[in-house]
Amino acid sequence: MSWLNKYSIIFFDVLDSTDLEAKRMIKRGVRGNHVIVSAVQTRGKGRNGNFWHSPDGNLYFSIVFDHKNNLSNLSQLSLVTSLSCHEAMQYFLNDKELSLFPKLFKIKWPNDLLLNDKKFCGILLQTLPCMDVHEDKIINYLIIGVGMNLTNSPKNINYLTTSLKEEGIEHKYNDVFNKIMERFNENYKLWQAEGFSDIRSRWIQNTYNVGKKVFFDMKGKKNSGLFKDIDEDGQMVIELESGVLHKVTSCDVQVV
Ligand code: BTN
């Protein structure tokens, strides 16, 4: 089934944030699967409460659906989403770029996309528990916000950024949006039917930081170790200097 048969698409010229609009819709009692897209966001939200630069020309959307799966699967779903955005990029490359695809495009745990080692896409997963009056029980709505720099990127932040256009990658807005949704729908179906194993191995093949030193917070303290693997739950497995393996569910990991 095409993703277009599963989701309704709602387009806006301007919104404060597609994630905030998704929350308002759910709180108003709107149910079902939706994708909210806005050409511009005035209060785009990034991870850790950061601002997400959202001028005209880039892609901003939130996928909203009733998450029937266990919430402990969210780490896996985060990787399903970053893998889908990553895979979608192959469709916009010329032959030369395609031969360089694994070098050009990488996924940085848990769900940033890098192009030439610079961030051009960020993903934010949130859940919103709400009462289903028909079934008289709490259901968890999932909001997956995707921001992708297509034509421009912010330069006044403390990490390197870029956009498809700045790296010379020809693309059309609608084609990028459609291809990401197509890959997400396919990967989500596969994940539901067969579990995480195939997604996990494709994700690991395309990651930027497996095998590298990473910095992370552990019990409120800064720590570092070697990023060894992604486990069966989608958690990052880090080898500490003591040799002990430590698992991290979600954090902003710095790589050196
Ligand atoms: C990150 O910090 O890396 C996550 C960025 C997520 C940005 C997207 S843009 C669409 C959706 N609406 C928002 O306000 N944020 C997400």
Side-chain angles (χ1 to χ4, degrees):
M1 184 172 68
S2 155
W3 74 271
L4 289 160
N5 298 326
K6 178 169 168 188
Y7 296 91
S8 75
I9 316 171
I10 312 166
F11 285 102
F12 291 86
D13 290 334
V14 183
L15 271 179
D16 48 0
S17 147
T18 55
D19 280 358
L20 291 173
E21 179 62 20
K23 283 183 195 163
R24 289 190 289 265
M25 276 175 54
I26 296 165
K27 285 185 178 157
R28 276 202 309 273
V30 177
R31 297 291 176 256
N33 305 320
H34 308 280
V35 188
I36 301 159
V37 191
S38 186
V40 171
Q41 296 185 123
T42 55
R43 280 179 56 207
K45 281 161 41 107
R47 269 209 311 275
N48 305 322
N50 293 332
F51 179 71
W52 186 258
H53 170 79
S54 311
D56 194 18
N58 295 334
L59 184 58
Y60 317 107
F61 64 93
S62 299
I63 309 170
V64 187
F65 56 99
D66 170 1
H67 184 54
K68 296 235 160 50
N69 301 285
N70 191 325
L71 284 186
S72 64
N73 284 339
L74 281 189
S75 285
Q76 295 181 4
L77 200 47
S78 155
L79 306 193
V80 170
T81 311
S82 50
L83 179 69
S84 304
C85 292
H86 176 81
E87 289 178 343
M89 295 301 107
Q90 299 175 60
Y91 297 86
F92 307 102
L93 305 183
N94 59 35
D95 289 348
K96 183 166 174 258
E97 289 161 349
L98 201 53
S99 68
L100 295 171
F101 180 73
K103 279 204 162 93
L104 275 180
F105 288 91
K106 298 235 165 64
I107 313 173
K108 178 173 172 271
W109 191 91
N111 47 22
D112 286 348
L113 294 199
L114 306 182
L115 168 52
N116 278 327
D117 291 347
K118 292 168 272 186
K119 178 166 170 172
F120 77 105
C121 176
I123 297 161
L124 191 65
L125 267 79
Q126 297 170 84
T127 55
L128 190 65
C130 56
M131 191 67 191
D132 187 320
V133 283
H134 303 296
E135 295 189 30
D136 194 26
K137 63 170 190 186
I138 300 282
I139 54 172
N140 285 298
Y141 258 79
L142 184 64
I143 302 171
I144 303 179
V146 178
M148 185 176 280
N149 298 335
L150 301 185
T151 61
N152 57 78
S153 58
K155 297 300 177 209
N156 54 348
I157 41 182
N158 59 357
Y159 54 85
L160 295 174
T161 60
T162 193
S163 64
L164 293 185
K165 187 175 174 195
E166 285 165 273
E167 302 297 320
I169 305 222
E170 302 267 338
H171 62 276
K172 291 198 179 85
Y173 179 101
N174 284 345
D175 293 346
V176 177
F177 172 55
N178 182 50
K179 197 47 89 176
I180 294 174
M181 285 304 300
E182 205 174 283
R183 292 307 311 139
F184 177 76
N185 194 37
E186 288 305 312
N187 284 328
Y188 186 79
K189 274 193 292 194
L190 178 79
W191 176 69
Q192 279 194 310
E194 293 176 22
F196 186 52
S197 167
D198 182 58
I199 302 282
R200 174 175 171 268
S201 53
R202 278 191 277 147
W203 193 95
I204 287 175
Q205 276 166 26
N206 290 294
T207 183
Y208 167 74
N209 37 8
V210 167
K212 292 198 169 116
K213 187 172 185 181
V214 293
F215 291 94
F216 60 99
D217 280 336
M218 191 162 91
K219 295 178 190 153
K221 280 193 183 161
K222 295 265 175 250
N223 215 318
S224 67
L226 211 60
F227 183 177
K228 293 292 277 186
D229 201 1
I230 291 289
D231 75 1
E232 287 306 324
D233 298 321
Q235 299 186 100
M236 186 188 217
V237 182
I238 297 174
E239 187 180 81
L240 304 178
E241 269 165 32
S242 62
V244 169
L245 295 182
H246 172 72
K247 291 189 179 180
V248 180
T249 307
S250 181
C251 68
D252 203 8
V253 176
Q254 257 187 298
V255 184
V256 287

